[in-house]
Amino acid sequence: MLMNLKTLDWDKPTLETPGIPAEILPRIVSNSEIIGKIGKGWPITGIPISGCLGDQHAAMLGQACKKGFNCYRWSCSSVAQRQSWHN
């Protein structure tokens, strides 16, 4: 809700209303952009990280949903078919 869809950046007037400094917000990136690599201390260091999921999309993946869609009204709700991990 703080992102300007025309500029693809944080919307300054919207941030100013509640007093949120843009400096504390993460950089907005494309979902297909490589945003970093897995760091030292992990078994698979150096692997690129991209295609990040957030909020409901990540929850659907975590619940083993194979097909789904989002319904946009007053808020966003995910509706999905769940397949058991045990099938």
Side-chain angles (χ1 to χ4, degrees):
M1 301 245 185
L2 302 175
M3 181 180 166
N4 183 315
L5 297 177
K6 291 182 181 178
T7 65
L8 302 179
D9 201 359
W10 300 114
D11 188 64
K12 290 181 180 28
T14 305
L15 295 177
E16 289 171 358
T17 301
I20 300 172
E23 299 79 37
I24 68 168
L25 297 173
R27 181 173 59 102
I28 296 175
V29 297
S30 165
N31 194 40
S32 60
E33 182 178 342
I34 294 176
I35 58 172
K37 294 185 179 181
I38 297 176
K40 294 179 182 176
W42 295 92
I44 51 173
T45 51
I47 304 292
I49 300 171
S50 67
C52 293
L53 297 173
D55 198 24
Q56 294 160 344
H57 299 96
M60 286 175 60
L61 182 63
Q63 293 297 318
C65 296
K66 303 294 182 184
K67 296 179 183 176
F69 64 91
N70 284 333
C71 177
Y72 296 93
R73 288 197 186 119
W74 296 279
S75 64
C76 180
S77 302
S78 293
V79 179
Q81 293 177 331
R82 184 179 179 282
Q83 180 178 359
S84 171
W85 288 107
H86 305 289
N87 288 347

